Amino acid sequence: MIKTVEESRLHGNLLRTAVYLFDALRDEDYESAKLEMEELQFGMNKLEELAVKRERREKLTAVIKELKINGVEIDFASRATFLASTAKNAVEQERKLS
C-alpha cells in the first residue's frame, strides 16, 4: 500500500497536531487542546477519505489491467459526463473518422 504525497503530508501534520494536543493538555491550556482536537478530528476524516479513494483507485486499476489482459478495450472519454457537448461531439466525430 503506497501512500500518496497528500496522504503522507497529512499524516505528518496529524502527528504534529497530536504533539501540540499533548503539550496543551500538559500545560492545562484547555482552549488550545480543544482546538487541536478539532483539527485532529478534521484531519483524520480527511485522511480516511483519501485512503478510501486510494483503495478504490487501486481496485479500478486492477480491474482495468485484467480486462486489458483479456482483450477488452476501455475508452473512458466517450462516457465522460463532465465533458461539454462540443467535446463529446468531437470525440464522436473522431471515432467516425477512424
Side-chain angles (χ1 to χ4, degrees), residues 77-78 85-98:
S78 64
S85 60
T86 54
K88 286 182 184 178
N89 291 337
V91 169
E92 289 173 8
Q93 289 174 358
E94 182 65 30
R95 282 189 161 177
K96 287 178 185 177
L97 294 175
S98 20

Side-chain angles (χ1 to χ4, degrees), residues 26-63:
R26 187 185 60 211
D27 297 338
E28 296 183 6
D29 183 1
Y30 301 118
E31 185 176 341
S32 294
K34 184 177 179 180
L35 291 173
E36 295 301 337
M37 283 178 55
E38 289 173 4
E39 184 69 26
L40 196 59
Q41 184 65 41
F42 176 79
M44 288 298 299
N45 290 338
K46 182 68 175 171
L47 190 61
E48 188 175 38
E49 288 173 14
L50 291 173
V52 168
K53 286 181 182 180
R54 180 180 27 83
E55 289 172 7
R56 287 181 184 162
R57 188 179 317 113
E58 288 172 355
K59 286 179 184 177
L60 179 61
T61 302
V63 168

Side-chain angles (χ1 to χ4, degrees), residues 57-73:
R57 188 179 317 113
E58 288 172 355
K59 286 179 184 177
L60 179 61
T61 302
V63 168
I64 291 170
K65 285 181 182 179
E66 186 176 327
L67 289 173
K68 285 184 178 182
I69 289 170
N70 293 328
V72 177
E73 196 170 314

Side-chain angles (χ1 to χ4, degrees), residues 13-23 36 40:
N13 289 343
L14 287 174
L15 290 173
R16 272 193 300 282
T17 301
V19 170
Y20 297 153
L21 174 61
F22 176 78
D23 289 342
E36 295 301 337
L40 196 59

